[in-house]
Amino acid sequence: MSDASLTPSAALRTLLVGNKRFVAGTPQHPNQDAARRAETAPLQRPFAVLFGCSDSRLAAEIIFDQGLGDLFVVRTAGHVAGPEVLGSIEYGVSVLGAPLVVVLGHDSCGAVAATRTALEDGVTASGFIRDVIERVTPSVLAARAAGLTSGDDIVDEHIRHTVDLLMDRSRVLADQVSAGRTAVVGLSYRLADGSARLVTTHGRDLSAAVAGQPG
C-alpha cells in the first residue's frame, strides 16, 4: 500500500501489520513487481518517511514487508540527524505528503555502544566517526542521568532523543504534526526476532494502530 492520503494511524498500522508478517515468516512482498515499477516511475507517494540506523540488518522495506514507492527512507549510523537528514524528512512530509515519520533504532546498536565506550574510556574516535559519537553522546548522557543502565533502555532513550530533536529543530515537521497531517513515532527493532516495538509518539492518537502490538 502506498497512499499518502492515509491517516497517520492507518500508516502506522500498515507498517506494524507488515512487520508482523515478517516476524511470522509469511511476507506478502507487496508492490515489488513490474506493474508497480511502472506505476511509480512517474511519481512517488510514500505513506511513511523512515529515518533509521544504517545497520545492514535494518532493511526497511524487508522488515516491514513493503515495496516500491511505499517508504521514503533516510538512514545514518545511529540515526544521527544533521541538516541533510532534516531536509530529507521535511521533503518527505511537506512535498511528498507522507502522513507518518518513523525513527527506527535497534538493539545492539554499534553507534550507541561506541559512544558508551568513548565516554567510559575517554578515547576519542578518529575521522568522522567522532562526529557520529558526538551526536549520540547527549542521548547516552541523558540515559545515564536517568539511571538507565541496560543496553535496550539506552537505545530507547536515544530513539526518544532523536524524535524530540526532529520535533525541536524542524519547524516544518512540528507544524505538520500540530495540524494533524503527520505523526512522528519511534520504534525499536529487535535483531533476533525481527519485531518492531513502539517507544514514543508525537501527534494524533495512535492507540488504534498499536492495539495488540508488543509493549
Side-chain angles (χ1 to χ4, degrees):
M1 181 186 300
S2 178
D3 186 352
S5 66
L6 285 175
T7 65
S9 183
L12 179 58
R13 183 65 178 169
T14 298
L15 276 184
L16 294 177
V17 169
N19 178 245
K20 289 181 71 172
R21 294 195 299 266
F22 171 71
V23 171
T26 57
Q28 297 176 357
H29 305 294
N31 299 329
Q32 297 181 21
D33 56 11
R36 180 62 170 180
R37 184 178 69 234
E39 177 189 350
T40 57
L43 77 165
Q44 57 173 325
R45 299 189 67 225
F47 70 82
V49 175
L50 195 295
F51 174 39
C53 181
S54 296
D55 192 292
S56 61
R57 298 161 290 184
L58 259 69
E61 286 86 356
I62 294 176
I63 66 178
F64 291 109
D65 193 28
Q66 302 301 320
L68 296 172
D70 290 331
L71 304 177
F72 188 74
V73 180
V74 184
R75 296 173 67 185
T76 64
H79 51 83
V80 298
E84 299 85 354
V85 166
L86 292 166
S88 298
I89 293 172
E90 289 182 352
Y91 180 83
V93 299
S94 65
V95 177
L96 301 181
L100 181 69
V101 175
V102 176
V103 173
L104 181 65
H106 65 98
D107 59 348
S108 303
C109 178
V112 171
T115 302
R116 295 178 69 184
T117 298
L119 289 172
E120 291 166 4
D121 298 345
V123 177
T124 303
S126 61
F128 286 102
I129 297 176
R130 178 188 302 179
D131 185 68
V132 174
I133 290 175
E134 288 177 351
R135 291 172 186 262
V136 178
T137 294
S139 300
V140 176
L141 291 177
R144 180 183 293 177
L148 304 176
T149 58
S150 79
D152 287 349
D153 287 342
I154 294 171
V155 165
D156 285 358
E157 180 62 28
H158 182 44
I159 293 169
R160 285 189 290 267
H161 183 269
T162 302
V163 169
D164 290 344
L165 182 149
L166 298 183
M167 293 293 296
D168 290 343
R169 293 190 60 189
S170 173
R171 174 51 54 190
V172 170
L173 183 58
D175 288 347
Q176 291 279 337
V177 171
S178 179
R181 291 188 291 269
T182 304
V184 183
V185 304
L187 299 178
S188 183
Y189 178 78
R190 187 169 295 279
L191 295 171
D193 64 22
S195 62
R197 170 177 54 84
L198 188 68
V199 173
T200 186
T201 67
H202 280 265
R204 64 172 60 192
D205 181 30
L206 300 172
S207 58
V210 300
Q213 298 301 314

